[in-house]
């Protein structure tokens, strides 16, 4: 990496501002923490002294010409992109900006049905029409993987007029598709390739990890630096390659939804995280991989557990695999992933990323250590002994909910249509006016405009019984759902 990746222009400017002891008569109203003393005593006064507003020495995110622009350019260089945009509304804002930058109302976009809710909301905002590709399913694990080249080619053959293809790199559990080949096919037909790389911010910086999407030729890529890159929660990057995408258009679109009061804490953390990855990423991520491999090896010695990994490469929907995603199948314990998730948190003080019907997911990063990994392994050993249910097996009979639902009207049209409220159990055959999803991971079970099936209802009822965190409906209990009609 070139030498100027050692620079942190925005962070340096923020430190210089703090050292000047400026007398503030601007927002925020806490005035360097004086008006928020209890919070300052807990987090430290310097944190509040650099929670400031845009000004000439610190630049402005909505029209960067100074230190923010310099920091964004360094990020673009680190990721081999032509342009980079700092995001303080999370990768959600980046995903929405990608779709809105290339799709007008009525334009088609090809995408996997296991896309994050931010992509579905991008459809509502843009008015684009989704053409869904069914992701490959690993039936043993009960999870969706990547998409096949053959399914992408079929979708293109039926929709030559699509404006873009939307991909995920990697999936929540670490699987990647053959993005390089898909990019080549898409570009042959003039389609832009947009990639949700929320869980792949680290890919670029270690040669044992899968390739990042920009390096593989994608046109736009939204990257959650806060997830795997080390920055503060809610801070992300949007990367673009020029050609099918125009940098000025993207910036204009971002200005529609991104705040005009961008947090300098978040932006400075992006500046530092980029430097850390660019300068030390290879060694830090090699250690991360060592910890992840150690955890897999030890967990796979525990009766009833299967920590899946690179052995999945070559199976349907798995072109490559991110080993830092520690997915653990728990079904042979006779427990659901939801149950193990709760036991780890409540009994062992360990918070994993998520649980589903069959698995839990732990994320290993360069913030981990042998001690933290050992604590997880020992807790899982104990759970296997104390909580295992002999003579009980979870039946794999709910995979149909992952099949592509029937889209009746566009998500945007459904969102703005008149609606009525019905009981969830009585909604079969109705056209949904809301989304329902489990968070995490935030992949919708049903979205506005889709016909509600019995499988969907049964799956949602099962999730409710597991006390899963369901979101999307106005009814917080998800006993009722809005559907189209009067």
């Amino acid at each position: 990496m070139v030498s100027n990746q050692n620079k942190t222009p925005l962070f340096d400017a923020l430190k210089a501002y703090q050292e000047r002891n400026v007398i503030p008569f601007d927002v925020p109203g806490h005035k360097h923490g004086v008006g928020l003393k209890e919070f300052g005593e807990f987090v430290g006064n310097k944190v509040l002294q650099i929670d400031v507003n845009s000004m000439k020495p610190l630049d402005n995110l909505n029209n960067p010409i100074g230190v923010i622009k310099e920091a964004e350019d360094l990020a673009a260089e680190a990721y081999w992109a032509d342009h980079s945009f700092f995001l303080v509304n999370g990768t959600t804002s980046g995903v929405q900006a990608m779709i809105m930058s290339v799709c007008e109302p009525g334009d088609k976009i090809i995408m996997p049905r296991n896309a994050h809710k931010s992509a579905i909301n991008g459809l509502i905002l843009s008015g684009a029409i989704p053409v869904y590709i069914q992701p490959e399913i690993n039936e043993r694990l009960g999870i969706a993987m990547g998409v096949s080249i053959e399914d992408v080619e079929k979708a293109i053959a039926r929709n030559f007029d699509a404006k873009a293809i939307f991909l995920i790199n990697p999936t929540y559990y670490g699987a990647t598709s053959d993005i390089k080949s898909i990019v080549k096919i898409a570009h042959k037909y003039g389609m832009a390739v947009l990639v949700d790389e929320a869980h792949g911010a680290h890919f670029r910086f270690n040669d044992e990890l899968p390739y990042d999407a920009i390096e593989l030729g994608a046109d736009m890529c939204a990257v959650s630096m806060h997830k795997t890159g080390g920055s503060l929660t809610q801070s992300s990057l949007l990367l673009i390659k020029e050609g099918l995408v125009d940098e000025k258009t993207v910036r204009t679109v971002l200005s529609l939804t991104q705040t005009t009061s961008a947090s300098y804490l978040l932006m400075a953390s992006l500046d530092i995280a980029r430097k850390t990855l660019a300068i030390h990423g290879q060694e830090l991520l090699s250690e991360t991989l060592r910890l992840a491999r150690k955890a897999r090896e030890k967990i796979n010695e525990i009766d009833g557990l299967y920590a899946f990994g690179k052995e999945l490469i070559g199976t349907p929907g798995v072109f490559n695999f991110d080993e830092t995603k520690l997915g653990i199948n728990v079904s042979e314990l006779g427990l659901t992933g939801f149950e193990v998730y709760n036991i780890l948190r409540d009994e062992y003080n360990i918070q994993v990323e998520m649980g589903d019907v069959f698995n839990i997911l732990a994320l290993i990063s360069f913030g981990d250590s042998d001690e933290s990994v050992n604590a997880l392994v020992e807790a899982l050993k104990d759970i296997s002994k104390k909580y295992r249910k002999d003579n009980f097996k979870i039946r794999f009979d709910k995979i149909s909910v992952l099949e592509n639902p029937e889209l009746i009207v566009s998500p945007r049209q459904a969102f703005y249509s008149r609606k009525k409220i019905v009981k969830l159990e009585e909604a079969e055959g109705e056209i949904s006016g809301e989304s329902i999803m489990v968070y995490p991971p935030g992949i919708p079970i049903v979205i506005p405009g889709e016909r509600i099936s019995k499988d969907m209802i049964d799956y949602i009822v099962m999730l409710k019984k597991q006390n899963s965190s369901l979101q999307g409906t106005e009814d917080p209990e998800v006993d009722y759902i809005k559907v189209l009609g009067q």
Side-chain angles (χ1 to χ4, degrees):
M1 192 60 63
V2 295
S3 60
N4 66 359
Q5 286 296 321
N6 280 294
K7 295 176 63 178
T8 51
L10 178 55
F11 182 57
D12 291 347
L14 207 52
K15 288 192 293 182
Y17 172 86
Q18 188 270 336
E19 291 167 0
R20 286 177 55 197
N21 198 25
V22 172
I23 301 172
F25 283 96
D26 60 350
V27 297
H30 63 69
K31 302 293 181 79
H32 295 176
V34 174
L36 203 59
K37 289 184 179 179
E38 183 179 354
F39 189 62
E41 288 171 359
F42 181 74
V43 301
N45 289 327
K46 278 191 177 180
V47 171
L48 296 181
Q49 288 168 6
I50 60 173
D51 179 39
V52 294
N53 193 32
S54 298
M55 61 190 71
K56 188 173 181 179
L58 297 180
D59 209 359
N60 188 300
L61 182 61
N62 287 280
N63 184 31
I65 57 175
V67 290
I68 294 177
K69 177 66 165 61
E70 188 177 353
E72 288 182 332
D73 288 347
L74 285 167
E77 181 184 78
Y79 278 94
W80 294 8
D82 292 323
H83 300 282
S84 166
F85 304 87
F86 279 8
L87 305 175
V88 294
N89 294 34
T91 296
T92 288
S93 63
V95 168
Q96 292 170 354
M98 289 195 299
I99 295 173
M100 294 169 69
S101 294
V102 300
C103 292
E104 297 178 1
D107 286 343
K108 295 178 183 177
I109 179 169
I110 297 169
M111 62 195 306
R113 183 55 182 78
N114 61 329
H116 188 263
K117 69 174 184 177
S118 59
I120 306 306
N121 291 340
L123 299 176
I124 294 171
L125 290 169
S126 67
I129 310 296
V131 175
Y132 290 127
I133 306 173
Q134 175 65 30
E136 299 290 338
I137 304 298
N138 184 305
E139 296 199 2
R140 177 186 177 186
L141 302 174
I143 56 177
M145 297 301 190
V147 295
S148 70
I149 296 173
E150 292 75 20
D151 285 341
V152 170
E153 289 177 325
K154 289 176 184 176
I156 291 175
R158 293 191 297 265
N159 301 275
F160 285 118
D161 54 344
K163 289 292 183 69
I165 295 179
F166 183 91
L167 299 170
I168 306 166
N169 189 53
T171 63
Y172 218 95
Y173 280 104
T176 72
S177 303
D178 185 356
I179 289 180
K180 184 175 182 179
S181 296
I182 295 172
V183 167
K184 185 177 180 180
I185 297 165
H187 285 175
K188 178 181 176 182
Y189 295 97
M191 298 178 189
V193 177
L194 320 177
V195 180
D196 176 355
E197 205 163 68
H199 285 270
H202 55 308
F203 282 2
R204 174 70 188 85
F205 304 99
N206 188 282
D207 52 18
E208 292 187 82
L209 292 166
Y211 285 105
D212 64 286
I214 287 292
E215 189 172 356
L216 294 173
D219 300 285
M220 300 182 75
C221 185
V223 177
S224 289
M225 286 289 279
H226 68 94
K227 284 185 169 69
T228 60
S231 65
L232 292 180
T233 295
Q234 202 174 312
S235 59
S236 296
L237 296 175
L238 180 58
L239 309 169
I240 68 172
K241 282 280 192 181
E242 288 185 338
L244 296 177
V245 177
D246 176 62
E247 179 261 346
K248 293 183 175 62
T249 298
V250 176
R251 192 172 292 282
T252 299
V253 169
L254 278 172
S255 70
L256 295 176
T257 57
Q258 183 142 261
T259 178
T260 57
S261 301
S263 165
Y264 279 87
L265 290 170
L266 299 185
M267 291 189 290
S269 78
L270 285 171
D271 207 15
I272 290 288
R274 180 269 314 156
K275 172 188 172 180
T276 301
L277 285 171
I279 303 301
H280 304 293
Q282 182 70 29
E283 62 205 69
L284 288 173
L285 291 165
S286 290
E287 172 63 8
T288 303
L289 287 167
R290 182 190 71 80
L291 291 171
R293 289 163 181 164
K294 168 187 173 182
R296 270 190 180 82
E297 181 180 355
K298 290 185 175 296
I299 290 168
N300 282 328
E301 294 173 356
I302 301 172
D303 193 26
L305 296 180
Y306 167 43
F308 48 93
K310 294 192 77 171
E311 73 280 358
L312 296 179
I313 294 174
T315 61
V318 188
F319 180 77
N320 206 339
F321 188 85
D322 175 15
E323 295 178 83
T324 71
K325 307 296 187 295
L326 183 60
I328 305 164
N329 186 272
V330 301
S331 58
E332 290 188 12
L333 293 179
L335 300 170
T336 66
F338 303 119
E339 290 172 317
V340 176
Y341 174 97
N342 290 332
I343 292 168
L344 281 168
R345 182 193 62 228
D346 298 339
E347 302 297 329
Y348 298 90
N349 202 32
I350 291 175
Q351 182 65 59
V352 294
E353 174 68 10
M354 65 165 287
D356 63 27
V357 179
F358 305 100
N359 312 282
I360 59 170
L361 176 65
L363 302 184
I364 309 297
S365 77
F366 48 79
D368 277 300
S369 63
D370 283 294
E371 290 74 20
S372 64
V373 167
N374 288 339
L376 174 62
V377 171
E378 291 304 312
L380 290 171
K381 283 182 183 178
D382 208 36
I383 290 171
S384 176
K385 295 174 183 176
K386 288 182 178 179
Y387 293 91
R388 183 167 188 169
K389 299 177 183 178
D390 297 329
N391 305 320
F392 178 82
K393 184 171 177 60
I394 301 167
R395 291 188 303 110
F396 189 79
D397 60 358
K398 297 296 181 184
I399 200 62
S400 59
V401 299
L402 294 172
E403 294 178 359
N404 289 342
E406 184 183 6
L407 185 71
I408 307 302
V409 299
S410 74
R412 183 182 179 89
Q413 181 181 343
F415 182 83
Y416 285 108
S417 295
R418 292 194 177 189
K419 303 174 184 71
K420 62 183 179 181
I421 299 173
V422 300
K423 287 185 177 180
L424 177 67
E425 286 86 350
E426 299 173 1
E428 182 181 352
E430 299 281 2
I431 301 171
S432 181
E434 298 181 293
S435 293
I436 300 179
M437 67 208 71
V438 187
Y439 195 89
I443 297 170
I445 300 162
V446 62
I447 70 168
E450 290 178 346
R451 192 178 298 283
I452 300 170
S453 68
K454 185 177 185 303
D455 286 331
M456 290 176 179
I457 295 170
D458 290 345
Y459 188 61
I460 294 164
V461 170
M462 181 275 296
L463 292 171
K464 288 174 64 178
K465 289 178 180 178
Q466 294 289 339
N467 295 317
S468 301
S469 177
L470 291 168
Q471 298 182 7
T473 54
E474 288 186 4
D475 173 19
E477 304 300 323
V478 199
D479 293 326
Y480 295 86
I481 184 172
K482 282 189 169 183
V483 299
L484 271 57
Q486 297 183 6

